[in-house]
């Protein structure tokens, strides 16, 4: 019964979600080309607040737990598990004062109103997952960017999303490159739960009533033992995953 009900509700959601992306695309373009980075960045933050409100149509609720005083005057490397594309709007909105930039697959850099424009022009890294050299180079550029501008890079070290909430092993190369290029960065681990439930049936229909939770863990300094640090980060994140 719930799945049957989700069909018409999903249609309403897609209409609202798509309209939001289309409406914000020219606003974002004007903000960047007429006024520069800061107005464009604020436009992207508001866009993602509206995208979260669109998911409320599906009965989605959000909890973002952060009890830590994270500084704004140094670069951050936000490391998190990955369960769906709907992980991204809450990170952009709730972490907006840190200017989050993403490591994203290059396919997202074209064809998606608002999203593709922001990925291409907002400072994120678009990587070819079939070309390891290109991917590492672009991630390195992102690390240099956040080190210079004191902004945040967001990386999903699993490499792809979990379709059932169970974490996948970390692929450490991208994270290592970010640490190398942004040596003053603070590591911010985040655990995400339940966003996979939005896609429990696949892309259509959407899952209803997901309670998506984000937990920001104690930030960590980069240490000389990078492999040990990455293992520690992975353990911190996965210990709070409820799959």
């Amino acid at each position: 019964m719930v799945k049957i009900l989700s069909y018409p509700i999903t249609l309403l959601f897609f209409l609202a979600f798509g309209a939001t992306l289309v409406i914000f695309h020219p606003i974002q373009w004007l903000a960047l080309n007429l006024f520069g980075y800061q107005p464009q960045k604020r436009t992207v933050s508001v866009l993602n607040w509206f995208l979260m409100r669109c998911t409320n149509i599906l009965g989605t609720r959000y909890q973002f737990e952060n009890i830590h005083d994270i500084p704004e005057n140094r670069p951050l490397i936000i490391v998190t598990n990955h369960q769906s594309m709907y992980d991204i709007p809450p990170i952009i909105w709730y972490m907006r004062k840190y200017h989050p930039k993403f490591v994203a697959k290059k396919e997202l850099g074209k064809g998606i109103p608002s999203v593709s424009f922001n990925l291409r022009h907002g400072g994120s890294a678009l990587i070819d997952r079939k070309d390891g050299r290109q991917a590492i180079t672009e991630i390195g550029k992102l690390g240099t960017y956040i080190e210079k501008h004191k902004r945040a890079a967001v990386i999903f070290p699993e490499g792809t999303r979990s379709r059932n909430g169970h974490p996948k092993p970390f692929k450490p190369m991208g994270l290592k490159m970010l640490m190398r290029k942004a040596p003053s960065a603070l590591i911010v681990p985040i655990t995400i739960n339940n966003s996979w439930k939005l896609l429990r049936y696949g892309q259509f229909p959407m899952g209803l009533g997901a309670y998506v939770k984000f937990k920001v863990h104690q930030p960590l300094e980069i240490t000389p033992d990078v492999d040990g640090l990455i293992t520690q980060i992975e353990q911190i994140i996965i210990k709070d995953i409820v799959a």
Side-chain angles (χ1 to χ4, degrees):
M1 179 61 71
V2 173
K3 186 175 181 179
I4 292 173
L5 181 63
S6 69
Y7 281 96
I9 295 176
T10 297
L11 289 174
L12 291 174
F13 162 72
F14 281 154
L15 287 172
F17 196 86
T20 300
L21 293 177
V22 169
I23 290 168
F24 270 88
H25 188 89
I27 297 172
Q28 186 183 169
W29 187 93
L30 289 169
L32 179 63
N33 287 281
L34 295 182
F35 304 106
Y37 170 79
Q38 289 290 347
Q40 187 248 355
K41 181 265 174 191
R42 287 193 289 270
T43 299
V44 170
S45 296
V46 174
L47 161 66
N48 282 274
W49 184 87
F50 274 100
L51 293 179
M52 291 169 62
R53 301 292 73 79
C54 290
T55 66
N56 293 153
I57 295 170
L58 302 166
T60 305
R61 296 172 294 151
Y62 294 95
Q63 174 184 305
F64 200 96
E65 177 188 338
N66 179 20
I67 63 173
H68 308 289
D69 185 16
I70 302 172
E72 298 178 49
N73 61 348
R74 61 184 296 187
L76 305 178
I77 300 175
I78 297 172
V79 187
T80 178
N81 60 308
H82 192 25
Q83 296 189 348
S84 80
M85 62 176 284
Y86 302 100
D87 298 337
I88 295 169
I91 292 175
I92 292 177
W93 174 249
Y94 287 109
M95 303 296 284
R96 61 192 181 277
K97 66 181 179 180
Y98 305 107
H99 301 249
K101 314 300 176 186
F102 288 79
V103 177
K105 59 184 181 181
K106 69 172 187 176
E107 291 82 0
L108 298 177
K110 56 184 178 181
I112 308 173
S114 290
V115 172
S116 297
F117 185 89
N118 180 48
L119 288 173
R120 291 197 311 272
H121 301 285
S124 293
L126 289 170
I127 66 170
D128 184 346
R129 293 192 294 187
K130 297 179 181 178
D131 185 343
R133 179 174 296 180
Q134 183 272 351
I136 290 298
T137 299
E138 292 303 310
I139 292 171
K141 291 178 182 177
L142 176 58
T144 300
Y145 172 87
I146 65 167
E147 180 74 13
K148 177 180 178 180
H149 296 285
K150 311 304 183 204
R151 292 171 184 163
V154 182
I155 187 168
F156 304 107
E158 292 164 293
T160 187
R161 66 182 176 88
S162 168
R163 299 177 186 275
N164 57 11
H166 293 283
K168 298 176 181 292
F170 275 17
K171 299 176 181 178
M173 290 305 297
L175 184 50
K176 285 183 178 181
M177 177 58 74
L178 285 176
M179 292 181 186
R180 184 181 309 161
K181 294 295 186 176
S184 70
L186 193 64
I187 308 296
V188 181
I190 298 179
T191 297
I192 302 173
N193 276 301
N194 297 329
S195 79
W196 69 272
K197 293 181 179 178
L198 284 156
L199 299 174
R200 70 181 79 197
Y201 306 126
Q203 296 293 334
F204 187 86
M206 300 287 291
L208 302 182
Y211 187 14
V212 184
K213 299 181 180 181
F214 295 74
K215 182 177 180 179
V216 180
H217 299 280
Q218 177 68 49
L220 302 169
E221 297 286 351
I222 295 176
T223 64
D225 181 10
V226 172
D227 290 325
L229 177 59
I230 292 175
T231 298
Q232 181 185 2
I233 295 166
E234 184 173 12
Q235 290 173 346
I236 288 170
I237 291 170
I238 66 175
K239 72 179 177 60
D240 279 339
I241 294 176
V242 181

